[in-house]
PDB file of all heavy atoms in Angstrom:
ATOM      1  N   GLY A   2      68.511  -6.742  77.912  1.00  0.00           N
ATOM      2  CA  GLY A   2      67.319  -7.066  78.664  1.00  0.00           C
ATOM      3  C   GLY A   2      66.908  -8.479  78.306  1.00  0.00           C
ATOM      4  O   GLY A   2      66.873  -8.843  77.129  1.00  0.00           O
ATOM      5  N   ILE A   3      66.656  -9.338  79.295  1.00  0.00           N
ATOM      6  CA  ILE A   3      66.261 -10.719  79.025  1.00  0.00           C
ATOM      7  C   ILE A   3      64.773 -10.758  78.690  1.00  0.00           C
ATOM      8  O   ILE A   3      63.936 -10.327  79.477  1.00  0.00           O
ATOM      9  CB  ILE A   3      66.567 -11.627  80.226  1.00  0.00           C
ATOM     10  CG1 ILE A   3      68.083 -11.693  80.476  1.00  0.00           C
ATOM     11  CG2 ILE A   3      66.019 -13.031  79.992  1.00  0.00           C
ATOM     12  CD1 ILE A   3      68.475 -12.585  81.647  1.00  0.00           C
ATOM     13  N   ILE A   4      64.449 -11.271  77.506  1.00  0.00           N
ATOM     14  CA  ILE A   4      63.065 -11.407  77.058  1.00  0.00           C
ATOM     15  C   ILE A   4      62.466 -12.709  77.581  1.00  0.00           C
ATOM     16  O   ILE A   4      61.354 -12.745  78.110  1.00  0.00           O
ATOM     17  CB  ILE A   4      62.967 -11.365  75.528  1.00  0.00           C
ATOM     18  CG1 ILE A   4      63.603 -10.075  74.989  1.00  0.00           C
ATOM     19  CG2 ILE A   4      61.518 -11.481  75.077  1.00  0.00           C
ATOM     20  CD1 ILE A   4      62.974  -8.810  75.506  1.00  0.00           C
ATOM     21  N   SER A   5      63.202 -13.793  77.429  1.00  0.00           N
ATOM     22  CA  SER A   5      62.750 -15.103  77.911  1.00  0.00           C
ATOM     23  C   SER A   5      63.952 -16.016  78.070  1.00  0.00           C
ATOM     24  O   SER A   5      65.002 -15.792  77.464  1.00  0.00           O
ATOM     25  CB  SER A   5      61.729 -15.731  76.955  1.00  0.00           C
ATOM     26  OG  SER A   5      62.339 -16.028  75.702  1.00  0.00           O
ATOM     27  N   SER A   6      63.806 -17.041  78.890  1.00  0.00           N
ATOM     28  CA  SER A   6      64.866 -18.024  79.061  1.00  0.00           C
ATOM     29  C   SER A   6      64.264 -19.313  79.586  1.00  0.00           C
ATOM     30  O   SER A   6      63.219 -19.304  80.238  1.00  0.00           O
ATOM     31  CB  SER A   6      65.943 -17.507  80.029  1.00  0.00           C
ATOM     32  OG  SER A   6      65.399 -17.329  81.329  1.00  0.00           O
ATOM     33  N   GLY A   7      64.910 -20.425  79.269  1.00  0.00           N
ATOM     34  CA  GLY A   7      64.409 -21.703  79.733  1.00  0.00           C
ATOM     35  C   GLY A   7      65.203 -22.868  79.183  1.00  0.00           C
ATOM     36  O   GLY A   7      66.027 -22.702  78.278  1.00  0.00           O
ATOM     37  N   PRO A   8      64.987 -24.065  79.705  1.00  0.00           N
ATOM     38  CA  PRO A   8      65.717 -25.255  79.248  1.00  0.00           C
ATOM     39  C   PRO A   8      65.308 -25.659  77.838  1.00  0.00           C
ATOM     40  O   PRO A   8      64.206 -25.354  77.384  1.00  0.00           O
ATOM     41  CB  PRO A   8      65.324 -26.322  80.273  1.00  0.00           C
ATOM     42  CG  PRO A   8      64.014 -25.857  80.827  1.00  0.00           C
ATOM     43  CD  PRO A   8      64.062 -24.369  80.815  1.00  0.00           C
ATOM     44  N   ILE A   9      66.218 -26.314  77.152  1.00  0.00           N
ATOM     45  CA  ILE A   9      65.989 -26.784  75.791  1.00  0.00           C
ATOM     46  C   ILE A   9      66.806 -28.052  75.598  1.00  0.00           C
ATOM     47  O   ILE A   9      67.792 -28.276  76.313  1.00  0.00           O
ATOM     48  CB  ILE A   9      66.408 -25.698  74.765  1.00  0.00           C
ATOM     49  CG1 ILE A   9      65.985 -26.097  73.348  1.00  0.00           C
ATOM     50  CG2 ILE A   9      67.900 -25.427  74.839  1.00  0.00           C
ATOM     51  CD1 ILE A   9      66.232 -24.999  72.318  1.00  0.00           C
ATOM     52  N   THR A  10      66.389 -28.902  74.675  1.00  0.00           N
ATOM     53  CA  THR A  10      67.148 -30.110  74.351  1.00  0.00           C
ATOM     54  C   THR A  10      67.929 -29.875  73.066  1.00  0.00           C
ATOM     55  O   THR A  10      67.371 -29.421  72.063  1.00  0.00           O
ATOM     56  CB  THR A  10      66.223 -31.316  74.178  1.00  0.00           C
ATOM     57  OG1 THR A  10      65.499 -31.538  75.398  1.00  0.00           O
ATOM     58  CG2 THR A  10      67.017 -32.570  73.836  1.00  0.00           C
ATOM     59  N   ILE A  11      69.219 -30.162  73.090  1.00  0.00           N
ATOM     60  CA  ILE A  11      70.090 -29.990  71.933  1.00  0.00           C
ATOM     61  C   ILE A  11      70.775 -31.316  71.652  1.00  0.00           C
ATOM     62  O   ILE A  11      71.552 -31.804  72.480  1.00  0.00           O
ATOM     63  CB  ILE A  11      71.147 -28.899  72.189  1.00  0.00           C
ATOM     64  CG1 ILE A  11      70.482 -27.593  72.649  1.00  0.00           C
ATOM     65  CG2 ILE A  11      71.990 -28.659  70.940  1.00  0.00           C
ATOM     66  CD1 ILE A  11      71.471 -26.547  73.108  1.00  0.00           C
ATOM     67  N   ASP A  12      70.479 -31.910  70.527  1.00  0.00           N
ATOM     68  CA  ASP A  12      71.056 -33.206  70.162  1.00  0.00           C
ATOM     69  C   ASP A  12      70.879 -34.223  71.292  1.00  0.00           C
ATOM     70  O   ASP A  12      71.826 -34.902  71.693  1.00  0.00           O
ATOM     71  CB  ASP A  12      72.535 -33.048  69.806  1.00  0.00           C
ATOM     72  CG  ASP A  12      73.128 -34.313  69.206  1.00  0.00           C
ATOM     73  OD1 ASP A  12      72.358 -35.133  68.678  1.00  0.00           O
ATOM     74  OD2 ASP A  12      74.364 -34.472  69.262  1.00  0.00           O
ATOM     75  N   SER A  13      69.647 -34.290  71.816  1.00  0.00           N
ATOM     76  CA  SER A  13      69.273 -35.215  72.898  1.00  0.00           C
ATOM     77  C   SER A  13      69.988 -34.926  74.211  1.00  0.00           C
ATOM     78  O   SER A  13      69.972 -35.760  75.121  1.00  0.00           O
ATOM     79  CB  SER A  13      69.540 -36.679  72.481  1.00  0.00           C
ATOM     80  OG  SER A  13      68.815 -37.001  71.316  1.00  0.00           O
ATOM     81  N   LYS A  14      70.595 -33.767  74.321  1.00  0.00           N
ATOM     82  CA  LYS A  14      71.298 -33.385  75.546  1.00  0.00           C
ATOM     83  C   LYS A  14      70.590 -32.185  76.182  1.00  0.00           C
ATOM     84  O   LYS A  14      70.062 -31.321  75.476  1.00  0.00           O
ATOM     85  CB  LYS A  14      72.750 -33.023  75.243  1.00  0.00           C
ATOM     86  CG  LYS A  14      73.571 -34.163  74.668  1.00  0.00           C
ATOM     87  CD  LYS A  14      74.954 -33.698  74.284  1.00  0.00           C
ATOM     88  CE  LYS A  14      75.790 -34.857  73.753  1.00  0.00           C
ATOM     89  NZ  LYS A  14      75.191 -35.473  72.554  1.00  0.00           N
ATOM     90  N   PRO A  15      70.576 -32.105  77.498  1.00  0.00           N
ATOM     91  CA  PRO A  15      69.976 -30.927  78.138  1.00  0.00           C
ATOM     92  C   PRO A  15      70.784 -29.675  77.827  1.00  0.00           C
ATOM     93  O   PRO A  15      72.015 -29.705  77.778  1.00  0.00           O
ATOM     94  CB  PRO A  15      70.030 -31.280  79.633  1.00  0.00           C
ATOM     95  CG  PRO A  15      71.129 -32.281  79.750  1.00  0.00           C
ATOM     96  CD  PRO A  15      71.119 -33.066  78.479  1.00  0.00           C
ATOM     97  N   GLY A  16      70.073 -28.600  77.604  1.00  0.00           N
ATOM     98  CA  GLY A  16      70.730 -27.337  77.307  1.00  0.00           C
ATOM     99  C   GLY A  16      69.905 -26.191  77.849  1.00  0.00           C
ATOM    100  O   GLY A  16      68.938 -26.395  78.596  1.00  0.00           O
ATOM    101  N   TYR A  17      70.267 -24.994  77.452  1.00  0.00           N
ATOM    102  CA  TYR A  17      69.543 -23.808  77.924  1.00  0.00           C
ATOM    103  C   TYR A  17      69.548 -22.763  76.825  1.00  0.00           C
ATOM    104  O   TYR A  17      70.466 -22.709  76.005  1.00  0.00           O
ATOM    105  CB  TYR A  17      70.184 -23.242  79.188  1.00  0.00           C
ATOM    106  CG  TYR A  17      69.233 -22.421  80.025  1.00  0.00           C
ATOM    107  CD1 TYR A  17      68.399 -23.037  80.964  1.00  0.00           C
ATOM    108  CD2 TYR A  17      69.135 -21.044  79.877  1.00  0.00           C
ATOM    109  CE1 TYR A  17      67.509 -22.298  81.728  1.00  0.00           C
ATOM    110  CE2 TYR A  17      68.251 -20.297  80.642  1.00  0.00           C
ATOM    111  CZ  TYR A  17      67.434 -20.930  81.564  1.00  0.00           C
ATOM    112  OH  TYR A  17      66.548 -20.202  82.312  1.00  0.00           O
ATOM    113  N   GLN A  18      68.489 -21.947  76.822  1.00  0.00           N
ATOM    114  CA  GLN A  18      68.358 -20.911  75.791  1.00  0.00           C
ATOM    115  C   GLN A  18      67.849 -19.623  76.421  1.00  0.00           C
ATOM    116  O   GLN A  18      66.940 -19.645  77.252  1.00  0.00           O
ATOM    117  CB  GLN A  18      67.389 -21.375  74.704  1.00  0.00           C
ATOM    118  CG  GLN A  18      67.275 -20.450  73.511  1.00  0.00           C
ATOM    119  CD  GLN A  18      66.361 -21.064  72.431  1.00  0.00           C
ATOM    120  OE1 GLN A  18      65.150 -20.923  72.486  1.00  0.00           O
ATOM    121  NE2 GLN A  18      66.969 -21.764  71.475  1.00  0.00           N
ATOM    122  N   VAL A  19      68.432 -18.503  76.016  1.00  0.00           N
ATOM    123  CA  VAL A  19      68.005 -17.198  76.509  1.00  0.00           C
ATOM    124  C   VAL A  19      67.870 -16.242  75.328  1.00  0.00           C
ATOM    125  O   VAL A  19      68.726 -16.217  74.438  1.00  0.00           O
ATOM    126  CB  VAL A  19      68.996 -16.647  77.562  1.00  0.00           C
ATOM    127  CG1 VAL A  19      70.403 -16.529  77.000  1.00  0.00           C
ATOM    128  CG2 VAL A  19      68.529 -15.298  78.095  1.00  0.00           C
ATOM    129  N   ILE A  20      66.773 -15.495  75.293  1.00  0.00           N
ATOM    130  CA  ILE A  20      66.534 -14.484  74.261  1.00  0.00           C
ATOM    131  C   ILE A  20      66.703 -13.112  74.889  1.00  0.00           C
ATOM    132  O   ILE A  20      66.132 -12.829  75.950  1.00  0.00           O
ATOM    133  CB  ILE A  20      65.135 -14.628  73.644  1.00  0.00           C
ATOM    134  CG1 ILE A  20      65.004 -15.996  72.949  1.00  0.00           C
ATOM    135  CG2 ILE A  20      64.854 -13.502  72.645  1.00  0.00           C
ATOM    136  CD1 ILE A  20      63.632 -16.250  72.353  1.00  0.00           C
ATOM    137  N   LEU A  21      67.502 -12.276  74.245  1.00  0.00           N
ATOM    138  CA  LEU A  21      67.856 -10.974  74.777  1.00  0.00           C
ATOM    139  C   LEU A  21      67.529  -9.870  73.783  1.00  0.00           C
ATOM    140  O   LEU A  21      67.365 -10.120  72.585  1.00  0.00           O
ATOM    141  CB  LEU A  21      69.365 -10.904  75.076  1.00  0.00           C
ATOM    142  CG  LEU A  21      70.000 -12.040  75.870  1.00  0.00           C
ATOM    143  CD1 LEU A  21      71.504 -12.030  75.669  1.00  0.00           C
ATOM    144  CD2 LEU A  21      69.675 -11.881  77.343  1.00  0.00           C
ATOM    145  N   SER A  22      67.466  -8.658  74.280  1.00  0.00           N
ATOM    146  CA  SER A  22      67.399  -7.485  73.415  1.00  0.00           C
ATOM    147  C   SER A  22      68.422  -6.480  73.932  1.00  0.00           C
ATOM    148  O   SER A  22      68.650  -6.386  75.141  1.00  0.00           O
ATOM    149  CB  SER A  22      65.999  -6.859  73.436  1.00  0.00           C
ATOM    150  OG  SER A  22      65.673  -6.392  74.738  1.00  0.00           O
ATOM    151  N   THR A  23      69.055  -5.779  73.018  1.00  0.00           N
ATOM    152  CA  THR A  23      70.019  -4.777  73.452  1.00  0.00           C
ATOM    153  C   THR A  23      69.287  -3.541  73.947  1.00  0.00           C
ATOM    154  O   THR A  23      68.228  -3.179  73.449  1.00  0.00           O
ATOM    155  CB  THR A  23      70.950  -4.374  72.298  1.00  0.00           C
ATOM    156  OG1 THR A  23      70.169  -3.864  71.208  1.00  0.00           O
ATOM    157  CG2 THR A  23      71.767  -5.560  71.814  1.00  0.00           C
ATOM    158  N   LEU A  24      69.861  -2.914  74.955  1.00  0.00           N
ATOM    159  CA  LEU A  24      69.304  -1.685  75.483  1.00  0.00           C
ATOM    160  C   LEU A  24      69.941  -0.493  74.764  1.00  0.00           C
ATOM    161  O   LEU A  24      71.106  -0.553  74.367  1.00  0.00           O
ATOM    162  CB  LEU A  24      69.560  -1.596  76.991  1.00  0.00           C
ATOM    163  CG  LEU A  24      68.969  -2.747  77.822  1.00  0.00           C
ATOM    164  CD1 LEU A  24      69.350  -2.598  79.285  1.00  0.00           C
ATOM    165  CD2 LEU A  24      67.446  -2.791  77.674  1.00  0.00           C
ATOM    166  N   PRO A  25      69.184   0.576  74.551  1.00  0.00           N
ATOM    167  CA  PRO A  25      69.721   1.731  73.805  1.00  0.00           C
ATOM    168  C   PRO A  25      70.993   2.282  74.443  1.00  0.00           C
ATOM    169  O   PRO A  25      71.114   2.374  75.660  1.00  0.00           O
ATOM    170  CB  PRO A  25      68.581   2.747  73.890  1.00  0.00           C
ATOM    171  CG  PRO A  25      67.355   1.945  74.162  1.00  0.00           C
ATOM    172  CD  PRO A  25      67.805   0.789  75.008  1.00  0.00           C
ATOM    173  N   SER A  26      71.967   2.603  73.565  1.00  0.00           N
ATOM    174  CA  SER A  26      73.209   3.197  74.039  1.00  0.00           C
ATOM    175  C   SER A  26      73.870   3.946  72.896  1.00  0.00           C
ATOM    176  O   SER A  26      73.540   3.741  71.725  1.00  0.00           O
ATOM    177  CB  SER A  26      74.170   2.123  74.576  1.00  0.00           C
ATOM    178  OG  SER A  26      74.653   1.322  73.526  1.00  0.00           O
ATOM    179  N   MET A  27      74.830   4.793  73.226  1.00  0.00           N
ATOM    180  CA  MET A  27      75.561   5.537  72.203  1.00  0.00           C
ATOM    181  C   MET A  27      76.412   4.595  71.365  1.00  0.00           C
ATOM    182  O   MET A  27      76.590   4.807  70.172  1.00  0.00           O
ATOM    183  CB  MET A  27      76.452   6.587  72.876  1.00  0.00           C
ATOM    184  CG  MET A  27      75.683   7.689  73.588  1.00  0.00           C
ATOM    185  SD  MET A  27      74.761   8.738  72.437  1.00  0.00           S
ATOM    186  CE  MET A  27      76.117   9.539  71.576  1.00  0.00           C
ATOM    187  N   GLN A  28      76.931   3.519  71.983  1.00  0.00           N
ATOM    188  CA  GLN A  28      77.789   2.578  71.262  1.00  0.00           C
ATOM    189  C   GLN A  28      76.986   1.703  70.309  1.00  0.00           C
ATOM    190  O   GLN A  28      77.474   1.314  69.258  1.00  0.00           O
ATOM    191  CB  GLN A  28      78.556   1.697  72.258  1.00  0.00           C
ATOM    192  CG  GLN A  28      79.601   2.416  73.096  1.00  0.00           C
ATOM    193  CD  GLN A  28      78.981   3.224  74.224  1.00  0.00           C
ATOM    194  OE1 GLN A  28      77.828   2.989  74.614  1.00  0.00           O
ATOM    195  NE2 GLN A  28      79.733   4.175  74.744  1.00  0.00           N
ATOM    196  N   ASN A  29      75.770   1.360  70.676  1.00  0.00           N
ATOM    197  CA  ASN A  29      74.942   0.470  69.866  1.00  0.00           C
ATOM    198  C   ASN A  29      73.593   1.131  69.583  1.00  0.00           C
ATOM    199  O   ASN A  29      72.592   0.818  70.224  1.00  0.00           O
ATOM    200  CB  ASN A  29      74.736  -0.871  70.593  1.00  0.00           C
ATOM    201  CG  ASN A  29      76.043  -1.579  70.876  1.00  0.00           C
ATOM    202  OD1 ASN A  29      76.929  -1.640  70.037  1.00  0.00           O
ATOM    203  ND2 ASN A  29      76.172  -2.108  72.079  1.00  0.00           N
ATOM    204  N   PRO A  30      73.560   2.050  68.599  1.00  0.00           N
ATOM    205  CA  PRO A  30      72.312   2.770  68.327  1.00  0.00           C
ATOM    206  C   PRO A  30      71.248   1.913  67.659  1.00  0.00           C
ATOM    207  O   PRO A  30      70.069   2.246  67.705  1.00  0.00           O
ATOM    208  CB  PRO A  30      72.770   3.899  67.404  1.00  0.00           C
ATOM    209  CG  PRO A  30      73.993   3.360  66.730  1.00  0.00           C
ATOM    210  CD  PRO A  30      74.673   2.512  67.761  1.00  0.00           C
ATOM    211  N   ILE A  31      71.658   0.807  67.010  1.00  0.00           N
ATOM    212  CA  ILE A  31      70.703  -0.063  66.325  1.00  0.00           C
ATOM    213  C   ILE A  31      70.254  -1.151  67.294  1.00  0.00           C
ATOM    214  O   ILE A  31      71.076  -1.909  67.813  1.00  0.00           O
ATOM    215  CB  ILE A  31      71.333  -0.702  65.075  1.00  0.00           C
ATOM    216  CG1 ILE A  31      71.790   0.382  64.097  1.00  0.00           C
ATOM    217  CG2 ILE A  31      70.358  -1.651  64.400  1.00  0.00           C
ATOM    218  CD1 ILE A  31      72.516  -0.157  62.884  1.00  0.00           C
ATOM    219  N   PRO A  32      68.949  -1.277  67.565  1.00  0.00           N
ATOM    220  CA  PRO A  32      68.478  -2.321  68.489  1.00  0.00           C
ATOM    221  C   PRO A  32      68.629  -3.706  67.876  1.00  0.00           C
ATOM    222  O   PRO A  32      68.289  -3.915  66.712  1.00  0.00           O
ATOM    223  CB  PRO A  32      67.005  -1.962  68.711  1.00  0.00           C
ATOM    224  CG  PRO A  32      66.618  -1.203  67.485  1.00  0.00           C
ATOM    225  CD  PRO A  32      67.837  -0.442  67.059  1.00  0.00           C
ATOM    226  N   PHE A  33      69.134  -4.642  68.652  1.00  0.00           N
ATOM    227  CA  PHE A  33      69.345  -6.007  68.180  1.00  0.00           C
ATOM    228  C   PHE A  33      68.607  -6.993  69.063  1.00  0.00           C
ATOM    229  O   PHE A  33      68.459  -6.795  70.269  1.00  0.00           O
ATOM    230  CB  PHE A  33      70.844  -6.356  68.196  1.00  0.00           C
ATOM    231  CG  PHE A  33      71.575  -6.014  66.935  1.00  0.00           C
ATOM    232  CD1 PHE A  33      71.950  -4.705  66.682  1.00  0.00           C
ATOM    233  CD2 PHE A  33      71.874  -6.981  65.999  1.00  0.00           C
ATOM    234  CE1 PHE A  33      72.626  -4.374  65.529  1.00  0.00           C
ATOM    235  CE2 PHE A  33      72.539  -6.662  64.841  1.00  0.00           C
ATOM    236  CZ  PHE A  33      72.922  -5.358  64.596  1.00  0.00           C
ATOM    237  N   GLY A  34      68.161  -8.074  68.432  1.00  0.00           N
ATOM    238  CA  GLY A  34      67.642  -9.212  69.159  1.00  0.00           C
ATOM    239  C   GLY A  34      68.689 -10.302  69.144  1.00  0.00           C
ATOM    240  O   GLY A  34      69.364 -10.499  68.127  1.00  0.00           O
ATOM    241  N   LEU A  35      68.864 -11.002  70.243  1.00  0.00           N
ATOM    242  CA  LEU A  35      69.874 -12.042  70.342  1.00  0.00           C
ATOM    243  C   LEU A  35      69.281 -13.283  71.000  1.00  0.00           C
ATOM    244  O   LEU A  35      68.451 -13.169  71.909  1.00  0.00           O
ATOM    245  CB  LEU A  35      71.079 -11.570  71.166  1.00  0.00           C
ATOM    246  CG  LEU A  35      71.770 -10.275  70.737  1.00  0.00           C
ATOM    247  CD1 LEU A  35      71.248  -9.100  71.573  1.00  0.00           C
ATOM    248  CD2 LEU A  35      73.280 -10.386  70.927  1.00  0.00           C
ATOM    249  N   MET A  36      69.696 -14.437  70.549  1.00  0.00           N
ATOM    250  CA  MET A  36      69.284 -15.695  71.174  1.00  0.00           C
ATOM    251  C   MET A  36      70.518 -16.566  71.321  1.00  0.00           C
ATOM    252  O   MET A  36      71.191 -16.875  70.337  1.00  0.00           O
ATOM    253  CB  MET A  36      68.230 -16.415  70.338  1.00  0.00           C
ATOM    254  CG  MET A  36      67.733 -17.711  70.991  1.00  0.00           C
ATOM    255  SD  MET A  36      66.266 -18.394  70.171  1.00  0.00           S
ATOM    256  CE  MET A  36      67.001 -19.046  68.663  1.00  0.00           C
ATOM    257  N   ASN A  37      70.811 -16.935  72.554  1.00  0.00           N
ATOM    258  CA  ASN A  37      71.966 -17.774  72.831  1.00  0.00           C
ATOM    259  C   ASN A  37      71.507 -19.115  73.387  1.00  0.00           C
ATOM    260  O   ASN A  37      70.711 -19.173  74.329  1.00  0.00           O
ATOM    261  CB  ASN A  37      72.903 -17.075  73.813  1.00  0.00           C
ATOM    262  CG  ASN A  37      73.626 -15.913  73.176  1.00  0.00           C
ATOM    263  OD1 ASN A  37      74.646 -16.095  72.519  1.00  0.00           O
ATOM    264  ND2 ASN A  37      73.096 -14.719  73.347  1.00  0.00           N
ATOM    265  N   THR A  38      72.023 -20.168  72.787  1.00  0.00           N
ATOM    266  CA  THR A  38      71.641 -21.533  73.145  1.00  0.00           C
ATOM    267  C   THR A  38      72.910 -22.315  73.438  1.00  0.00           C
ATOM    268  O   THR A  38      73.868 -22.243  72.671  1.00  0.00           O
ATOM    269  CB  THR A  38      70.882 -22.196  71.979  1.00  0.00           C
ATOM    270  OG1 THR A  38      69.799 -21.354  71.568  1.00  0.00           O
ATOM    271  CG2 THR A  38      70.354 -23.556  72.380  1.00  0.00           C
ATOM    272  N   TRP A  39      72.931 -23.047  74.547  1.00  0.00           N
ATOM    273  CA  TRP A  39      74.150 -23.780  74.874  1.00  0.00           C
ATOM    274  C   TRP A  39      73.848 -25.132  75.502  1.00  0.00           C
ATOM    275  O   TRP A  39      72.777 -25.381  76.045  1.00  0.00           O
ATOM    276  CB  TRP A  39      75.040 -22.947  75.791  1.00  0.00           C
ATOM    277  CG  TRP A  39      74.438 -22.522  77.101  1.00  0.00           C
ATOM    278  CD1 TRP A  39      74.314 -23.265  78.246  1.00  0.00           C
ATOM    279  CD2 TRP A  39      73.873 -21.240  77.417  1.00  0.00           C
ATOM    280  NE1 TRP A  39      73.718 -22.529  79.246  1.00  0.00           N
ATOM    281  CE2 TRP A  39      73.433 -21.276  78.766  1.00  0.00           C
ATOM    282  CE3 TRP A  39      73.699 -20.047  76.689  1.00  0.00           C
ATOM    283  CZ2 TRP A  39      72.842 -20.188  79.390  1.00  0.00           C
ATOM    284  CZ3 TRP A  39      73.099 -18.968  77.318  1.00  0.00           C
ATOM    285  CH2 TRP A  39      72.681 -19.041  78.649  1.00  0.00           C
ATOM    286  N   THR A  40      74.843 -25.991  75.395  1.00  0.00           N
ATOM    287  CA  THR A  40      74.821 -27.293  76.057  1.00  0.00           C
ATOM    288  C   THR A  40      76.254 -27.674  76.377  1.00  0.00           C
ATOM    289  O   THR A  40      77.202 -27.037  75.895  1.00  0.00           O
ATOM    290  CB  THR A  40      74.165 -28.368  75.171  1.00  0.00           C
ATOM    291  OG1 THR A  40      73.989 -29.580  75.932  1.00  0.00           O
ATOM    292  CG2 THR A  40      75.010 -28.693  73.947  1.00  0.00           C
ATOM    293  N   VAL A  41      76.415 -28.679  77.211  1.00  0.00           N
ATOM    294  CA  VAL A  41      77.753 -29.153  77.553  1.00  0.00           C
ATOM    295  C   VAL A  41      77.820 -30.658  77.322  1.00  0.00           C
ATOM    296  O   VAL A  41      76.818 -31.376  77.411  1.00  0.00           O
ATOM    297  CB  VAL A  41      78.118 -28.832  79.021  1.00  0.00           C
ATOM    298  CG1 VAL A  41      78.112 -27.335  79.269  1.00  0.00           C
ATOM    299  CG2 VAL A  41      77.177 -29.540  79.986  1.00  0.00           C
ATOM    300  N   ALA A  42      79.026 -31.121  77.007  1.00  0.00           N
ATOM    301  CA  ALA A  42      79.288 -32.550  76.871  1.00  0.00           C
ATOM    302  C   ALA A  42      80.706 -32.784  77.378  1.00  0.00           C
ATOM    303  O   ALA A  42      81.676 -32.391  76.712  1.00  0.00           O
ATOM    304  CB  ALA A  42      79.147 -33.009  75.424  1.00  0.00           C
ATOM    305  N   GLY A  43      80.810 -33.367  78.561  1.00  0.00           N
ATOM    306  CA  GLY A  43      82.124 -33.573  79.149  1.00  0.00           C
ATOM    307  C   GLY A  43      82.791 -32.249  79.464  1.00  0.00           C
ATOM    308  O   GLY A  43      82.258 -31.418  80.189  1.00  0.00           O
ATOM    309  N   ASN A  44      83.951 -32.037  78.886  1.00  0.00           N
ATOM    310  CA  ASN A  44      84.697 -30.801  79.134  1.00  0.00           C
ATOM    311  C   ASN A  44      84.511 -29.764  78.030  1.00  0.00           C
ATOM    312  O   ASN A  44      85.276 -28.807  77.927  1.00  0.00           O
ATOM    313  CB  ASN A  44      86.196 -31.109  79.297  1.00  0.00           C
ATOM    314  CG  ASN A  44      86.811 -31.651  78.014  1.00  0.00           C
ATOM    315  OD1 ASN A  44      86.139 -32.295  77.212  1.00  0.00           O
ATOM    316  ND2 ASN A  44      88.095 -31.401  77.826  1.00  0.00           N
ATOM    317  N   ASN A  45      83.484 -29.936  77.211  1.00  0.00           N
ATOM    318  CA  ASN A  45      83.219 -29.008  76.113  1.00  0.00           C
ATOM    319  C   ASN A  45      81.905 -28.264  76.317  1.00  0.00           C
ATOM    320  O   ASN A  45      80.889 -28.861  76.694  1.00  0.00           O
ATOM    321  CB  ASN A  45      83.174 -29.746  74.768  1.00  0.00           C
ATOM    322  CG  ASN A  45      84.522 -30.326  74.385  1.00  0.00           C
ATOM    323  OD1 ASN A  45      85.546 -29.664  74.494  1.00  0.00           O
ATOM    324  ND2 ASN A  45      84.520 -31.569  73.932  1.00  0.00           N
ATOM    325  N   LEU A  46      81.936 -26.975  76.063  1.00  0.00           N
ATOM    326  CA  LEU A  46      80.740 -26.139  76.070  1.00  0.00           C
ATOM    327  C   LEU A  46      80.456 -25.724  74.637  1.00  0.00           C
ATOM    328  O   LEU A  46      81.346 -25.225  73.937  1.00  0.00           O
ATOM    329  CB  LEU A  46      80.961 -24.904  76.943  1.00  0.00           C
ATOM    330  CG  LEU A  46      79.895 -23.804  76.848  1.00  0.00           C
ATOM    331  CD1 LEU A  46      78.594 -24.262  77.477  1.00  0.00           C
ATOM    332  CD2 LEU A  46      80.395 -22.522  77.520  1.00  0.00           C
TER     333      LEU A  46
END
């Protein structure tokens, strides 16, 4: 489930960040919080 998301600056470069929470399931009984942040530079992510 997406909690929040929005643009962010990473090393003076435009990037993006999303905060997630895991939804209950048999495979993942422990709830987790996750935050993924990314940027690109040329051909690298």
Side-chain angles (χ1 to χ4, degrees):
I3 296 180
I4 304 301
S5 65
S6 64
I9 188 174
T10 300
I11 307 172
D12 189 23
S13 301
K14 298 175 178 60
Y17 203 86
Q18 186 176 85
V19 58
I20 298 178
L21 311 161
S22 63
T23 58
L24 301 177
S26 69
M27 294 293 293
Q28 292 77 19
N29 300 317
I31 300 176
F33 271 78
L35 306 97
M36 182 169 74
N37 288 277
T38 308
W39 59 80
T40 188
V41 299
N44 65 330
N45 294 315
L46 169 70

